[in-house]
Amino acid sequence: MRKTLAFRPAAQFEVTLGSASEAFRLRCQAQQLSPGTLAWYKQILKMFARYLETQGVTTARAVTPTLIREHLEDMRERGNGTVTVARTYGGLRCFFGFLARERMIPQNPFQLVEKPRMERKLIKPLSLDQVRLLLVQCNQKRYDEHRLWTIMVLIFDTGLRISEVIGLRKDAIDFQSGVMRVMGKGGKERQVPFGLNSKRALWNYAARRGDVPGQDLFFVSRFGGRCCRYLLRKEFHRLGAQAGIQGVRVSPHTMRHTFATQYIMNGGDAFSLQQILGHSTLDMVKVYVGLANRDVALLHQKFSPMDRMGLVPGGKRRVIVR
């Protein structure tokens, strides 16, 4: 009988944070996680390691529940929102769960750390006038702003995530049928329809983009490389400030919310919206329906036929209730 060698952890669990992070990175790559997810894990682990350095901690074994709580509290004091803190908690918990399973640490400190409460604030959508203001800000004579204008048109028409826009491939766009194949979260592919205005915008951008040898991505930088999501977010923010838009966060995600709200207001149903957006459940779609209903109520207050009639015949008559 062949003897099976048992896995033996490093002696005395003295694994540095750097070695632990590298092992976790390899695990994530083996699971074929998206580049965006890999970058996010790298970012939160780097922030955590930087905090631990200030506390004199260099090994994974030395991390205690108290240190984790202090790091999360430090994030709050630095101005991070409850959503960011909660997501960081989830990412670090996954990291230490991996280390415990691999026997790189004697026990998982997250077993004693309470999950922080997360306040879910609704993202206020843009109005149609604000969308028009944003589009008008782009100087389409410049390649970068022509690409940005095209991306804004596409998101407002389809509700794509910015990561889905960046990862969109040339051969995934069917101009004849008006449908594109999109790779969403979790490696799930779906078909997303687009309208005539988007078709025209995509066609014009494709003509200007030209052929970039060895590049399958549809949206590319000036040098033919992959677009950076962080720079695109900054460009959205810049256009919002340039347009003088206040009270609304101008971002690709806000544009996605705006599409969803307008889709419902214009008569779209929740089930088709769920399919277009790529949500696994109707939970988030219900939020968009609620936002649309709120806007309908405001429109009714503004355009109510009865309220716009003026003086209502018989309106001054007093009714005595016995």
Side-chain angles (χ1 to χ4, degrees), residues 93-114:
R93 183 181 61 181
C94 182
F95 170 63
F96 279 95
F98 163 78
L99 297 184
R101 290 192 302 272
E102 295 288 319
R103 300 182 184 178
M104 301 176 74
I105 54 176
Q107 59 184 4
N108 186 354
F110 267 84
Q111 291 178 344
L112 300 176
V113 180
E114 307 79 6

Side-chain angles (χ1 to χ4, degrees), residues 138-210:
C138 294
N139 178 10
Q140 295 188 54
K141 293 181 179 180
R142 297 176 54 188
Y143 170 79
D144 285 352
E145 298 212 6
H146 182 198
R147 182 194 60 204
L148 181 61
W149 181 87
T150 307
I151 289 175
M152 285 196 295
V153 168
L154 181 61
I155 297 178
F156 186 55
D157 185 42
T158 62
L160 294 184
R161 301 178 179 94
I162 189 62
S163 59
E164 295 169 344
V165 171
I166 293 174
L168 184 64
R169 299 193 171 276
K170 293 187 300 180
D171 59 3
I173 304 174
D174 188 340
F175 285 96
Q176 186 172 359
S177 63
V179 174
M180 58 179 61
R181 300 191 316 276
V182 175
M183 188 62 68
K185 285 186 175 181
K188 298 178 182 178
E189 188 178 78
R190 69 183 189 280
Q191 290 192 333
V192 178
F194 56 92
L196 293 177
N197 285 327
S198 286
K199 180 178 181 179
R200 191 179 299 112
L202 292 170
W203 188 266
N204 290 336
Y205 169 77
R208 184 169 188 176
R209 172 194 183 278

Side-chain angles (χ1 to χ4, degrees), residues 6 42 64 70 80 93 99 111 127 130 144 146 161 170 184 190 235-236 242 246 248 263 265 281 300 313 320:
K42 181 179 179 180
T64 64
E70 289 175 350
N80 290 281
R93 183 181 61 181
L99 297 184
Q111 291 178 344
S127 67
Q130 288 172 331
D144 285 352
H146 182 198
R161 301 178 179 94
K170 293 187 300 180
R190 69 183 189 280
E235 286 300 295
F236 269 76
Q242 188 174 309
Q246 298 179 349
V248 184
Y263 184 87
M265 289 183 64
T281 67
H300 179 269
I320 300 176

Side-chain angles (χ1 to χ4, degrees), residues 37-293:
T37 302
L38 291 174
W40 177 74
Y41 273 125
K42 181 179 179 180
Q43 180 183 4
I44 63 171
L45 290 176
K46 184 177 180 180
M47 288 177 55
F48 187 49
R50 190 178 301 162
Y51 174 78
L52 292 177
E53 284 181 6
T54 64
Q55 307 301 312
V57 176
T58 58
T59 63
R61 182 185 185 182
V63 176
T64 64
T66 299
L67 282 172
I68 295 170
R69 295 189 189 101
E70 289 175 350
H71 171 60
L72 298 177
E73 183 60 29
D74 181 67
M75 290 183 63
R76 294 188 192 95
E77 292 176 354
R78 291 175 180 271
N80 290 281
T82 59
V83 174
T84 302
V85 174
R87 288 177 177 172
T88 299
Y89 168 89
L92 292 176
R93 183 181 61 181
C94 182
F95 170 63
F96 279 95
F98 163 78
L99 297 184
R101 290 192 302 272
E102 295 288 319
R103 300 182 184 178
M104 301 176 74
I105 54 176
Q107 59 184 4
N108 186 354
F110 267 84
Q111 291 178 344
L112 300 176
V113 180
E114 307 79 6
K115 183 178 180 179
R117 295 182 62 182
M118 182 170 60
E119 298 176 0
R120 286 195 173 275
K121 296 182 179 180
L122 294 179
I123 298 178
K124 185 179 179 181
L126 297 159
S127 67
L128 289 180
D129 287 338
Q130 288 172 331
V131 173
R132 293 188 185 98
L133 270 176
L134 285 175
L135 293 173
V136 125
Q137 301 304 314
C138 294
N139 178 10
Q140 295 188 54
K141 293 181 179 180
R142 297 176 54 188
Y143 170 79
D144 285 352
E145 298 212 6
H146 182 198
R147 182 194 60 204
L148 181 61
W149 181 87
T150 307
I151 289 175
M152 285 196 295
V153 168
L154 181 61
I155 297 178
F156 186 55
D157 185 42
T158 62
L160 294 184
R161 301 178 179 94
I162 189 62
S163 59
E164 295 169 344
V165 171
I166 293 174
L168 184 64
R169 299 193 171 276
K170 293 187 300 180
D171 59 3
I173 304 174
D174 188 340
F175 285 96
Q176 186 172 359
S177 63
V179 174
M180 58 179 61
R181 300 191 316 276
V182 175
M183 188 62 68
K185 285 186 175 181
K188 298 178 182 178
E189 188 178 78
R190 69 183 189 280
Q191 290 192 333
V192 178
F194 56 92
L196 293 177
N197 285 327
S198 286
K199 180 178 181 179
R200 191 179 299 112
L202 292 170
W203 188 266
N204 290 336
Y205 169 77
R208 184 169 188 176
R209 172 194 183 278
D211 184 34
V212 181
Q215 181 57 274
D216 295 330
L217 295 175
F218 183 74
F219 291 105
V220 295
S221 67
R222 284 182 297 169
F223 307 104
R226 186 184 184 92
C227 295
C228 175
R229 72 168 70 186
Y230 302 108
L231 291 180
L232 287 176
R233 285 171 182 159
K234 288 181 65 176
E235 286 300 295
F236 269 76
H237 182 74
R238 178 184 65 81
L239 287 183
Q242 188 174 309
I245 296 176
Q246 298 179 349
V248 184
R249 185 185 71 178
V250 179
S251 69
H253 203 59
T254 303
M255 190 71 81
R256 172 176 162 90
H257 278 252
T258 305
F259 156 76
T261 305
Q262 290 293 325
Y263 184 87
I264 294 294
M265 289 183 64
N266 292 335
D269 64 278
F271 293 101
S272 61
L273 179 61
Q274 177 189 1
Q275 184 177 359
I276 292 171
L277 293 177
H279 287 305
S280 57
T281 67
L282 281 171
D283 291 341
M284 193 62 212
V285 177
K286 291 177 182 177
V287 174
Y288 298 132
V289 173
L291 288 172
N293 289 338

